[in-house]
Amino acid sequence: MENLLKVEKITKKFGNFFANHEINFEVRKGEVLAILGENGAGKTTLMNILFGHYTPDSGNVIFEGHKIDFGNTNSAIKLGIGMVHQHFTLAENLTVLENIMIGKQSIFSLSLPKKDARKKLLRLSEKYGLPINPDSMVTDLSVSEKQRLEILKTLFLDCKLLILDEPTAALTPQETEALFATVREMVELGLSVILISHKLNEILRVSDRIIVLRDGALVGEVNTNSAVRSEIAEMIVGKKIEYPKKQDVKRKSQYLQLTDISYKSLSFPAVQNINLTLSGGQILGIAGVAGNGQTTLAKLLSGHLKPSSGEVLFYENKKVNTSPKSFMNLGLAYIPEDRNSDGLVGEMEIWENVIMTEIDTPYFRNKFGWINKSKSFERATNLCNLYDVRMQSIRQPCRLLSGGNVQKLLLGRWLMRSPKIIIACQPTRGLDEGAIASIQKLLLQARAKGSGIVLISEDLDELLSISDDVAVMYKGALSEPINTEQTDKLSIGLMMAGEGF
Amino acid sequence: MVTFRLEERERTSYPLALISPLIAVFISLVLAGLLIILAGANPVQSYYELMKGAFGSKNAFAETLARATPIILTGLAASIAFRAKFWNIGAEGQLYFGALATTMFGTGLIVLPSILMIPFLFIMGALAGGLLLLPLVLLKLYYKVDEVVTTLLLNFVVVLLVSYLLEGPWKDPMSLGWPQGKSVVDSGILPQILAKTRLHLGFVIAVFTALSIWLIMNKTIIGYQIKSVGSNASAASHSGLPIFKTTLIVALFSGGMAGMAGVTETAGLKGYLTLDLSPGFGYAGIAVAMLANLNPLGVIFSGIFLASIYVGADAMSRAMNVPTYLADVIVGLTVLSILLSLIFINFKIKFIGNRDND
């Protein structure tokens, strides 16, 4: 097969750190190339170089015989490289068609050539099997439709190489299948696709070739049909991954009970008549496609939202007023879904974040409110050692930590308090295999120590492997919990699509 | 084609953080110098006159420090509020409220010995400034009413209230018809700290307040809470920090310090309340806080700097026959260039050369 893109000896340094080190590979016409690697392995840097966003320190990227003009994304777009980012870049208050046309018009032109654009959009939508209504408002689209729109936006620019960054992060298994069918369709029609993902199972199904990055270097290249899952996983991490195994744990008494909880407002998806019980030593998984009310449920469980009706009872039918603080004081820990904006204060140093949940404890301050730095430093150092948070110094701002380390720090901070109830919302989303294994291990350890855990996740493999029971959320309603021993991915997947509700 | 991009720095070195505002001040002086040339004067000589007017004699220096006193306090008010992302633009009104409290309690209602009277007036002034802000912060916390709008607009209401009181019920009958309040009792007057100048105890109190705020912000739990809530309120609340309480405390501190500026002017500089007590000290505080990058110790220096420009501009104007308004231009340019210099402090600039020839 002919080469479309050739990457030659790309090296990019940030300070003394090699984000990319002499990377060589090529993308052939009409293939799906998957790029795998942990967070911080250099995938994003490499894509930013391909897309013309960063300038490498040395090396070249040649696309159809043309060198890419680095530091200029227009050049990459003009040559035919299109990128769909993990986070959507859509204007919610415009229609599909208007979103397609954004940025393609000079701001001084007074008219929009909507007619031509509509024609082209409909042609592309038919050609690649990506159905969409040009006049829908983007706000009204589902996640998978938004993604379809993002892909159409790049196709609209006549791209020959499509880069998809973590495209399945917010899709149901069924939607993922549909997306992959489209990807296969696109390569049949001559497009090339680079797929960046950390979900190995998916990559193995859809790609033609796989390259693996680790610590900025290319450590492996395999044809997918001769690839072995465990070998690739080890290539990614650089060592053998030990996935935690669920042990039998003695159930304790009931820790948390929700009776007929409903919540209605404009700012969050509504939930209706939620009933749920959680005992010590139990992991209750909550499955569901993003946006079906899981976030609302998590906020209700953690005291950030007050239910419109219904009761939240702790332990022996104890009731407290709804606030994050009073729930915390009852021994509840909450891992929020968005760990960067709700989890840690990025601008503040690691030690400052470590003591944030503890400011009421006199241990870290004297009676005049003076912070005891040496005790705080000691706690931060212990926490980082205990939970394997990799950092240069506890005085470094948290924003410099990778996703996995942020999550270990967040979870570790709560585990230090020996919580009785843990509400974990998407705790492993976007993390690499190694970090996923450590977070799951920590959750199972907490379960063994008697904590009751509500695990809200979109990753069915995770839910089935570490939780005791799974309930499914669909359009604000929660199903009865099902024992994970007595169900499988397929039936949960069907429930996620609304069966039985 | 040579282009450049900004890359975020992992950490800012201290020398850079100190030098870049100085460079910014220098650049703004050069730019204002062009205007001085336009006005028909020699900029180097004009700046010399300006510096002489601000620092050239004991009297000039004392005048500069006296002018700096309220600006440092309103600067602290802005710096602590902005650190918590509470946008208090109402220091001007809070200053006047502090001045009203001084007039209410300091002109004969209560007479105490000096050692008690002065602290008493400062406490009353601070309470008045804080209380003025209290309903606004509650509106923000309960109903999400934008504090930029409410604090700014309340300034005008307060100034009109002062005007009403001074033209009406609080007018000093001894003032020969001028709209001014009764004189503060002798024991309430802030003593001079440099003989035969207008420099009074208020300056020492302002510097002491700045030091205290620095300690609070950097060493104590409450300062830590303010910084956390300011840089990521959502994460702070998820970690169990009390957003409501912290914002309330910030507002009381901020309004309190602006109120103290009203005390220093009424009981220190003038001795009585007038309608022109503050030529915009409340707004100058915002510029001062920005110049200091919200650092309470930096506010002392940026406050003195701003005061020196305003005091020196009068001397420059007289000697060189250029308009005093140049002072406003210099201050405006300095704030702009400081804000730009913050980009250099927080980001690295990478130049990207032409790569066609390899």
Side-chain angles (χ1 to χ4, degrees), chain A residues 53 55-56 67 325 334 341-342 344-345 348 352 356-357 359 369 371 395 399 413, chain B residues 5 8 10-11 219-221 224-225 228 231-232 234-235 238-241 352 355 358:
Chain A
H53 206 79
T55 305
K67 266 188 204 172
K325 189 82 198 170
Y334 176 42
S341 64
D342 298 338
L344 298 178
V345 180
M348 295 184 69
E352 290 178 302
M356 203 167 279
T357 46
I359 57 149
I371 296 177
R395 309 229 36 190
R399 66 183 157 87
R413 190 172 77 177
Chain B
R5 78 168 57 255
E8 202 171 346
E10 292 201 352
R11 241 173 210 291
K219 301 285 175 198
T220 70
I221 290 282
Y224 163 85
Q225 278 175 223
S228 312
S231 61
N232 186 345
S234 171
H238 279 82
S239 314
L241 293 192
I352 298 158
R355 287 182 154 264
D358 56 14

mmCIF file of all heavy atoms in Angstrom, chain A residues 53 55-56 67 325 334 341-342 344-345 348 352 356-357 359 369 371 395 399 413, chain B residues 5 8 10-11 219-221 224-225 228 231-232 234-235 238-241 352 355 358:
data_model
loop_
_atom_site.group_PDB
_atom_site.id
_atom_site.type_symbol
_atom_site.label_atom_id
_atom_site.label_comp_id
_atom_site.label_asym_id
_atom_site.label_seq_id
_atom_site.Cartn_x
_atom_site.Cartn_y
_atom_site.Cartn_z
ATOM 1 N N HIS A 53 0.454 21.905 15.187
ATOM 2 C CA HIS A 53 0.239 22.786 16.326
ATOM 3 C C HIS A 53 1.544 23.089 17.053
ATOM 4 O O HIS A 53 1.784 24.200 17.478
ATOM 5 C CB HIS A 53 -0.738 22.087 17.268
ATOM 6 C CG HIS A 53 -1.509 23.019 18.110
ATOM 7 N ND1 HIS A 53 -2.598 23.696 17.637
ATOM 8 C CD2 HIS A 53 -1.346 23.405 19.386
ATOM 9 C CE1 HIS A 53 -3.075 24.460 18.595
ATOM 10 N NE2 HIS A 53 -2.333 24.306 19.664
ATOM 11 N N THR A 55 5.925 22.796 17.074
ATOM 12 C CA THR A 55 7.089 22.669 16.217
ATOM 13 C C THR A 55 8.065 21.710 16.880
ATOM 14 O O THR A 55 8.476 21.939 18.007
ATOM 15 C CB THR A 55 7.775 24.038 16.055
ATOM 16 O OG1 THR A 55 6.804 24.951 15.582
ATOM 17 C CG2 THR A 55 8.915 23.946 15.095
ATOM 18 N N PRO A 56 8.432 20.619 16.209
ATOM 19 C CA PRO A 56 9.383 19.688 16.829
ATOM 20 C C PRO A 56 10.788 20.272 16.827
ATOM 21 O O PRO A 56 11.084 21.191 16.059
ATOM 22 C CB PRO A 56 9.290 18.450 15.939
ATOM 23 C CG PRO A 56 8.841 18.963 14.626
ATOM 24 C CD PRO A 56 7.995 20.174 14.883
ATOM 25 N N LYS A 67 6.201 18.682 2.848
ATOM 26 C CA LYS A 67 6.555 18.847 4.260
ATOM 27 C C LYS A 67 5.505 19.689 4.957
ATOM 28 O O LYS A 67 5.027 20.672 4.388
ATOM 29 C CB LYS A 67 7.900 19.594 4.357
ATOM 30 C CG LYS A 67 9.075 18.671 4.466
ATOM 31 C CD LYS A 67 10.326 19.470 4.743
ATOM 32 C CE LYS A 67 11.527 18.678 4.275
ATOM 33 N NZ LYS A 67 12.762 19.455 4.326
ATOM 34 N N LYS A 325 -20.372 19.001 53.376
ATOM 35 C CA LYS A 325 -19.633 18.937 54.630
ATOM 36 C C LYS A 325 -20.275 17.953 55.613
ATOM 37 O O LYS A 325 -19.592 17.132 56.221
ATOM 38 C CB LYS A 325 -19.614 20.343 55.240
ATOM 39 C CG LYS A 325 -18.730 20.496 56.411
ATOM 40 C CD LYS A 325 -17.312 20.714 55.957
ATOM 41 C CE LYS A 325 -16.372 20.437 57.110
ATOM 42 N NZ LYS A 325 -14.997 20.399 56.690
ATOM 43 N N TYR A 334 -16.123 11.430 48.269
ATOM 44 C CA TYR A 334 -16.704 11.620 46.938
ATOM 45 C C TYR A 334 -15.598 11.891 45.919
ATOM 46 O O TYR A 334 -14.867 12.864 46.021
ATOM 47 C CB TYR A 334 -17.682 12.793 46.998
ATOM 48 C CG TYR A 334 -18.297 13.190 45.679
ATOM 49 C CD1 TYR A 334 -18.726 12.227 44.767
ATOM 50 C CD2 TYR A 334 -18.462 14.525 45.345
ATOM 51 C CE1 TYR A 334 -19.292 12.587 43.563
ATOM 52 C CE2 TYR A 334 -19.040 14.903 44.144
ATOM 53 C CZ TYR A 334 -19.457 13.922 43.256
ATOM 54 O OH TYR A 334 -20.025 14.301 42.068
ATOM 55 N N SER A 341 -11.557 19.830 37.267
ATOM 56 C CA SER A 341 -12.212 21.058 37.710
ATOM 57 C C SER A 341 -12.875 20.907 39.075
ATOM 58 O O SER A 341 -13.050 21.893 39.776
ATOM 59 C CB SER A 341 -13.209 21.546 36.661
ATOM 60 O OG SER A 341 -14.233 20.619 36.510
ATOM 61 N N ASP A 342 -13.257 19.684 39.480
ATOM 62 C CA ASP A 342 -13.915 19.538 40.773
ATOM 63 C C ASP A 342 -13.038 18.852 41.809
ATOM 64 O O ASP A 342 -13.375 18.819 42.984
ATOM 65 C CB ASP A 342 -15.204 18.717 40.635
ATOM 66 C CG ASP A 342 -16.205 19.390 39.734
ATOM 67 O OD1 ASP A 342 -16.104 20.615 39.570
ATOM 68 O OD2 ASP A 342 -17.068 18.692 39.195
ATOM 69 N N LEU A 344 -9.100 18.688 42.271
ATOM 70 C CA LEU A 344 -7.971 19.362 42.909
ATOM 71 C C LEU A 344 -7.925 20.817 42.469
ATOM 72 O O LEU A 344 -8.425 21.167 41.413
ATOM 73 C CB LEU A 344 -6.663 18.685 42.518
ATOM 74 C CG LEU A 344 -6.500 17.226 42.943
ATOM 75 C CD1 LEU A 344 -5.177 16.688 42.441
ATOM 76 C CD2 LEU A 344 -6.570 17.097 44.447
ATOM 77 N N VAL A 345 -7.303 21.650 43.299
ATOM 78 C CA VAL A 345 -7.065 23.037 42.909
ATOM 79 C C VAL A 345 -5.714 23.063 42.201
ATOM 80 O O VAL A 345 -4.670 22.983 42.827
ATOM 81 C CB VAL A 345 -7.062 23.967 44.134
ATOM 82 C CG1 VAL A 345 -6.809 25.400 43.709
ATOM 83 C CG2 VAL A 345 -8.376 23.860 44.869
ATOM 84 N N MET A 348 -2.682 25.229 43.124
ATOM 85 C CA MET A 348 -2.082 25.122 44.444
ATOM 86 C C MET A 348 -1.198 23.882 44.526
ATOM 87 O O MET A 348 -1.322 22.954 43.744
ATOM 88 C CB MET A 348 -3.159 25.140 45.515
ATOM 89 C CG MET A 348 -3.838 26.505 45.478
ATOM 90 S SD MET A 348 -5.066 26.799 46.709
ATOM 91 C CE MET A 348 -4.141 26.891 48.198
ATOM 92 N N GLU A 352 -0.786 21.400 49.708
ATOM 93 C CA GLU A 352 -1.952 22.215 50.037
ATOM 94 C C GLU A 352 -3.226 21.468 49.677
ATOM 95 O O GLU A 352 -4.228 21.539 50.390
ATOM 96 C CB GLU A 352 -1.898 23.543 49.287
ATOM 97 C CG GLU A 352 -0.809 24.466 49.802
ATOM 98 C CD GLU A 352 -0.729 25.771 49.028
ATOM 99 O OE1 GLU A 352 -0.526 25.737 47.795
ATOM 100 O OE2 GLU A 352 -0.864 26.832 49.645
ATOM 101 N N MET A 356 -6.515 19.702 52.201
ATOM 102 C CA MET A 356 -7.749 20.477 51.989
ATOM 103 C C MET A 356 -8.967 19.858 52.684
ATOM 104 O O MET A 356 -9.830 20.579 53.189
ATOM 105 C CB MET A 356 -8.010 20.633 50.502
ATOM 106 C CG MET A 356 -8.880 21.824 50.183
ATOM 107 S SD MET A 356 -8.867 22.221 48.454
ATOM 108 C CE MET A 356 -7.355 23.136 48.292
ATOM 109 N N THR A 357 -9.049 18.527 52.704
ATOM 110 C CA THR A 357 -10.200 17.906 53.363
ATOM 111 C C THR A 357 -10.039 17.903 54.881
ATOM 112 O O THR A 357 -10.950 17.509 55.589
ATOM 113 C CB THR A 357 -10.360 16.443 52.903
ATOM 114 O OG1 THR A 357 -9.087 15.832 52.944
ATOM 115 C CG2 THR A 357 -10.906 16.370 51.495
ATOM 116 N N ILE A 359 -8.925 20.543 56.953
ATOM 117 C CA ILE A 359 -8.651 21.819 57.628
ATOM 118 C C ILE A 359 -9.401 21.962 58.950
ATOM 119 O O ILE A 359 -9.083 22.827 59.735
ATOM 120 C CB ILE A 359 -8.951 23.035 56.746
ATOM 121 C CG1 ILE A 359 -10.407 22.995 56.293
ATOM 122 C CG2 ILE A 359 -8.022 23.149 55.580
ATOM 123 C CD1 ILE A 359 -10.939 24.380 56.110
ATOM 124 N N GLY A 369 -4.968 29.423 64.126
ATOM 125 C CA GLY A 369 -5.259 29.249 62.712
ATOM 126 C C GLY A 369 -4.010 29.231 61.843
ATOM 127 O O GLY A 369 -4.090 29.339 60.628
ATOM 128 N N ILE A 371 -1.108 27.556 59.899
ATOM 129 C CA ILE A 371 -0.921 26.225 59.307
ATOM 130 C C ILE A 371 0.393 25.622 59.794
ATOM 131 O O ILE A 371 1.426 26.287 59.784
ATOM 132 C CB ILE A 371 -0.898 26.317 57.772
ATOM 133 C CG1 ILE A 371 -2.246 26.799 57.262
ATOM 134 C CG2 ILE A 371 -0.549 24.966 57.154
ATOM 135 C CD1 ILE A 371 -2.306 26.981 55.789
ATOM 136 N N ARG A 395 5.865 20.303 46.698
ATOM 137 C CA ARG A 395 5.610 21.735 46.543
ATOM 138 C C ARG A 395 5.306 22.097 45.095
ATOM 139 O O ARG A 395 5.284 23.271 44.731
ATOM 140 C CB ARG A 395 6.813 22.547 47.044
ATOM 141 C CG ARG A 395 7.237 22.137 48.420
ATOM 142 C CD ARG A 395 7.425 23.285 49.340
ATOM 143 N NE ARG A 395 6.471 24.363 49.137
ATOM 144 C CZ ARG A 395 6.583 25.537 49.710
ATOM 145 N NH1 ARG A 395 7.603 25.789 50.493
ATOM 146 N NH2 ARG A 395 5.691 26.469 49.515
ATOM 147 N N ARG A 399 -1.470 21.071 38.940
ATOM 148 C CA ARG A 399 -1.817 21.020 37.521
ATOM 149 C C ARG A 399 -0.751 20.301 36.701
ATOM 150 O O ARG A 399 -0.987 19.915 35.567
ATOM 151 C CB ARG A 399 -2.061 22.430 36.974
ATOM 152 C CG ARG A 399 -0.838 23.305 36.947
ATOM 153 C CD ARG A 399 -1.163 24.714 36.460
ATOM 154 N NE ARG A 399 -0.174 25.656 36.922
ATOM 155 C CZ ARG A 399 0.963 25.915 36.258
ATOM 156 N NH1 ARG A 399 1.210 25.342 35.111
ATOM 157 N NH2 ARG A 399 1.842 26.754 36.759
ATOM 158 N N ARG A 413 -6.296 10.856 49.246
ATOM 159 C CA ARG A 413 -6.668 11.856 50.243
ATOM 160 C C ARG A 413 -7.916 11.411 51.003
ATOM 161 O O ARG A 413 -8.008 11.581 52.213
ATOM 162 C CB ARG A 413 -6.945 13.161 49.500
ATOM 163 C CG ARG A 413 -7.108 14.338 50.385
ATOM 164 C CD ARG A 413 -7.172 15.592 49.579
ATOM 165 N NE ARG A 413 -8.468 15.758 48.950
ATOM 166 C CZ ARG A 413 -8.800 16.815 48.219
ATOM 167 N NH1 ARG A 413 -7.914 17.764 47.998
ATOM 168 N NH2 ARG A 413 -9.986 16.914 47.678
ATOM 169 N N ARG B 5 4.857 31.479 19.732
ATOM 170 C CA ARG B 5 3.746 30.946 20.496
ATOM 171 C C ARG B 5 4.051 31.078 21.983
ATOM 172 O O ARG B 5 5.200 31.263 22.376
ATOM 173 C CB ARG B 5 3.479 29.496 20.125
ATOM 174 C CG ARG B 5 4.449 28.519 20.769
ATOM 175 C CD ARG B 5 3.990 27.111 20.611
ATOM 176 N NE ARG B 5 3.804 26.761 19.220
ATOM 177 C CZ ARG B 5 2.613 26.642 18.651
ATOM 178 N NH1 ARG B 5 1.530 26.845 19.359
ATOM 179 N NH2 ARG B 5 2.514 26.319 17.399
ATOM 180 N N GLU B 8 3.163 27.755 28.555
ATOM 181 C CA GLU B 8 3.010 28.024 29.980
ATOM 182 C C GLU B 8 4.267 27.589 30.732
ATOM 183 O O GLU B 8 4.816 26.536 30.462
ATOM 184 C CB GLU B 8 1.793 27.272 30.516
ATOM 185 C CG GLU B 8 1.262 27.871 31.767
ATOM 186 C CD GLU B 8 -0.062 27.250 32.178
ATOM 187 O OE1 GLU B 8 -0.679 26.555 31.359
ATOM 188 O OE2 GLU B 8 -0.458 27.472 33.307
ATOM 189 N N GLU B 10 6.310 26.185 33.917
ATOM 190 C CA GLU B 10 5.989 25.307 35.041
ATOM 191 C C GLU B 10 6.055 26.100 36.328
ATOM 192 O O GLU B 10 5.274 25.930 37.235
ATOM 193 C CB GLU B 10 6.974 24.139 35.093
ATOM 194 C CG GLU B 10 6.773 23.208 33.915
ATOM 195 C CD GLU B 10 7.331 21.850 34.183
ATOM 196 O OE1 GLU B 10 8.001 21.671 35.220
ATOM 197 O OE2 GLU B 10 7.112 20.966 33.349
ATOM 198 N N ARG B 11 7.034 26.959 36.425
ATOM 199 C CA ARG B 11 7.226 27.745 37.620
ATOM 200 C C ARG B 11 7.825 29.079 37.213
ATOM 201 O O ARG B 11 8.565 29.156 36.248
ATOM 202 C CB ARG B 11 8.215 27.040 38.547
ATOM 203 C CG ARG B 11 7.604 26.702 39.861
ATOM 204 C CD ARG B 11 8.544 25.863 40.676
ATOM 205 N NE ARG B 11 7.765 24.990 41.535
ATOM 206 C CZ ARG B 11 7.038 25.418 42.559
ATOM 207 N NH1 ARG B 11 7.000 26.697 42.861
ATOM 208 N NH2 ARG B 11 6.356 24.579 43.285
ATOM 209 N N LYS B 219 0.122 32.294 55.762
ATOM 210 C CA LYS B 219 0.467 31.412 56.871
ATOM 211 C C LYS B 219 -0.735 30.774 57.555
ATOM 212 O O LYS B 219 -0.575 29.860 58.337
ATOM 213 C CB LYS B 219 1.255 32.193 57.939
ATOM 214 C CG LYS B 219 2.541 32.825 57.436
ATOM 215 C CD LYS B 219 3.614 31.787 57.254
ATOM 216 C CE LYS B 219 4.860 32.413 56.638
ATOM 217 N NZ LYS B 219 5.749 31.407 56.066
ATOM 218 N N THR B 220 -1.921 31.286 57.303
ATOM 219 C CA THR B 220 -3.037 30.797 58.110
ATOM 220 C C THR B 220 -4.055 30.024 57.280
ATOM 221 O O THR B 220 -4.086 30.109 56.053
ATOM 222 C CB THR B 220 -3.790 31.957 58.799
ATOM 223 O OG1 THR B 220 -4.470 32.685 57.795
ATOM 224 C CG2 THR B 220 -2.846 32.888 59.529
ATOM 225 N N ILE B 221 -4.887 29.288 58.001
ATOM 226 C CA ILE B 221 -5.928 28.496 57.364
ATOM 227 C C ILE B 221 -6.892 29.382 56.582
ATOM 228 O O ILE B 221 -7.285 29.049 55.468
ATOM 229 C CB ILE B 221 -6.711 27.697 58.440
ATOM 230 C CG1 ILE B 221 -5.823 26.602 59.024
ATOM 231 C CG2 ILE B 221 -7.989 27.126 57.880
ATOM 232 C CD1 ILE B 221 -5.676 25.385 58.167
ATOM 233 N N TYR B 224 -5.387 30.390 53.362
ATOM 234 C CA TYR B 224 -5.335 29.201 52.520
ATOM 235 C C TYR B 224 -6.712 28.923 51.905
ATOM 236 O O TYR B 224 -6.832 28.621 50.717
ATOM 237 C CB TYR B 224 -4.865 28.048 53.407
ATOM 238 C CG TYR B 224 -5.104 26.668 52.908
ATOM 239 C CD1 TYR B 224 -4.198 26.066 52.041
ATOM 240 C CD2 TYR B 224 -6.220 25.950 53.313
ATOM 241 C CE1 TYR B 224 -4.415 24.780 51.595
ATOM 242 C CE2 TYR B 224 -6.444 24.664 52.878
ATOM 243 C CZ TYR B 224 -5.544 24.087 52.020
ATOM 244 O OH TYR B 224 -5.752 22.823 51.576
ATOM 245 N N GLN B 225 -7.757 29.102 52.722
ATOM 246 C CA GLN B 225 -9.107 28.914 52.197
ATOM 247 C C GLN B 225 -9.427 29.942 51.118
ATOM 248 O O GLN B 225 -10.008 29.607 50.095
ATOM 249 C CB GLN B 225 -10.135 29.072 53.324
ATOM 250 C CG GLN B 225 -10.305 27.819 54.134
ATOM 251 C CD GLN B 225 -11.227 28.022 55.321
ATOM 252 O OE1 GLN B 225 -10.935 27.563 56.382
ATOM 253 N NE2 GLN B 225 -12.328 28.720 55.136
ATOM 254 N N SER B 228 -7.681 28.943 47.952
ATOM 255 C CA SER B 228 -8.284 27.762 47.328
ATOM 256 C C SER B 228 -9.609 28.116 46.658
ATOM 257 O O SER B 228 -9.857 27.728 45.517
ATOM 258 C CB SER B 228 -8.563 26.676 48.365
ATOM 259 O OG SER B 228 -7.456 26.470 49.175
ATOM 260 N N SER B 231 -8.969 30.134 43.504
ATOM 261 C CA SER B 231 -8.449 29.544 42.270
ATOM 262 C C SER B 231 -9.297 28.395 41.758
ATOM 263 O O SER B 231 -9.268 28.126 40.559
ATOM 264 C CB SER B 231 -6.963 29.179 42.383
ATOM 265 O OG SER B 231 -6.738 28.257 43.360
ATOM 266 N N ASN B 232 -10.079 27.726 42.581
ATOM 267 C CA ASN B 232 -11.006 26.722 42.053
ATOM 268 C C ASN B 232 -12.098 26.464 43.096
ATOM 269 O O ASN B 232 -11.985 25.553 43.915
ATOM 270 C CB ASN B 232 -10.255 25.441 41.703
ATOM 271 C CG ASN B 232 -11.141 24.414 41.028
ATOM 272 O OD1 ASN B 232 -12.360 24.519 41.062
ATOM 273 N ND2 ASN B 232 -10.529 23.431 40.405
ATOM 274 N N SER B 234 -15.011 25.221 42.874
ATOM 275 C CA SER B 234 -15.695 23.939 42.793
ATOM 276 C C SER B 234 -14.887 22.848 43.499
ATOM 277 O O SER B 234 -15.420 22.100 44.318
ATOM 278 C CB SER B 234 -15.912 23.588 41.329
ATOM 279 O OG SER B 234 -16.382 22.300 41.215
ATOM 280 N N ALA B 235 -13.587 22.784 43.188
ATOM 281 C CA ALA B 235 -12.758 21.770 43.845
ATOM 282 C C ALA B 235 -12.700 22.026 45.340
ATOM 283 O O ALA B 235 -12.724 21.104 46.145
ATOM 284 C CB ALA B 235 -11.353 21.779 43.256
ATOM 285 N N HIS B 238 -15.857 20.716 46.847
ATOM 286 C CA HIS B 238 -15.848 19.251 46.861
ATOM 287 C C HIS B 238 -14.935 18.701 47.949
ATOM 288 O O HIS B 238 -15.091 17.579 48.380
ATOM 289 C CB HIS B 238 -15.427 18.691 45.506
ATOM 290 C CG HIS B 238 -16.539 18.657 44.497
ATOM 291 N ND1 HIS B 238 -16.898 19.756 43.772
ATOM 292 C CD2 HIS B 238 -17.385 17.678 44.133
ATOM 293 C CE1 HIS B 238 -17.913 19.447 42.986
ATOM 294 N NE2 HIS B 238 -18.229 18.189 43.186
ATOM 295 N N SER B 239 -13.927 19.490 48.345
ATOM 296 C CA SER B 239 -13.036 19.035 49.404
ATOM 297 C C SER B 239 -13.560 19.438 50.772
ATOM 298 O O SER B 239 -12.868 19.270 51.763
ATOM 299 C CB SER B 239 -11.640 19.616 49.223
ATOM 300 O OG SER B 239 -11.229 19.506 47.895
ATOM 301 N N GLY B 240 -14.738 20.037 50.817
ATOM 302 C CA GLY B 240 -15.347 20.365 52.093
ATOM 303 C C GLY B 240 -15.016 21.750 52.619
ATOM 304 O O GLY B 240 -15.302 22.055 53.766
ATOM 305 N N LEU B 241 -14.397 22.600 51.797
ATOM 306 C CA LEU B 241 -14.128 23.969 52.272
ATOM 307 C C LEU B 241 -15.428 24.771 52.244
ATOM 308 O O LEU B 241 -16.238 24.622 51.337
ATOM 309 C CB LEU B 241 -13.077 24.655 51.391
ATOM 310 C CG LEU B 241 -11.657 24.099 51.422
ATOM 311 C CD1 LEU B 241 -10.710 25.054 50.738
ATOM 312 C CD2 LEU B 241 -11.204 23.846 52.835
ATOM 313 N N ILE B 352 9.357 30.817 16.459
ATOM 314 C CA ILE B 352 9.421 29.702 15.537
ATOM 315 C C ILE B 352 9.948 30.242 14.227
ATOM 316 O O ILE B 352 9.306 31.062 13.574
ATOM 317 C CB ILE B 352 8.023 29.094 15.352
ATOM 318 C CG1 ILE B 352 7.550 28.573 16.701
ATOM 319 C CG2 ILE B 352 8.047 27.996 14.327
ATOM 320 C CD1 ILE B 352 6.071 28.443 16.797
ATOM 321 N N ARG B 355 11.385 27.371 8.409
ATOM 322 C CA ARG B 355 11.981 26.045 8.289
ATOM 323 C C ARG B 355 12.010 25.566 6.840
ATOM 324 O O ARG B 355 12.200 24.398 6.567
ATOM 325 C CB ARG B 355 11.204 25.047 9.148
ATOM 326 C CG ARG B 355 11.469 25.248 10.615
ATOM 327 C CD ARG B 355 10.735 24.240 11.424
ATOM 328 N NE ARG B 355 11.442 24.045 12.692
ATOM 329 C CZ ARG B 355 12.308 23.069 12.870
ATOM 330 N NH1 ARG B 355 12.585 22.214 11.925
ATOM 331 N NH2 ARG B 355 12.923 22.953 14.044
ATOM 332 N N ASP B 358 15.694 23.952 5.180
ATOM 333 C CA ASP B 358 16.490 22.772 5.510
ATOM 334 C C ASP B 358 15.958 21.526 4.823
ATOM 335 O O ASP B 358 14.998 21.569 4.067
ATOM 336 C CB ASP B 358 16.543 22.565 7.036
ATOM 337 C CG ASP B 358 15.177 22.462 7.657
ATOM 338 O OD1 ASP B 358 14.191 22.281 6.911
ATOM 339 O OD2 ASP B 358 15.055 22.608 8.886
#
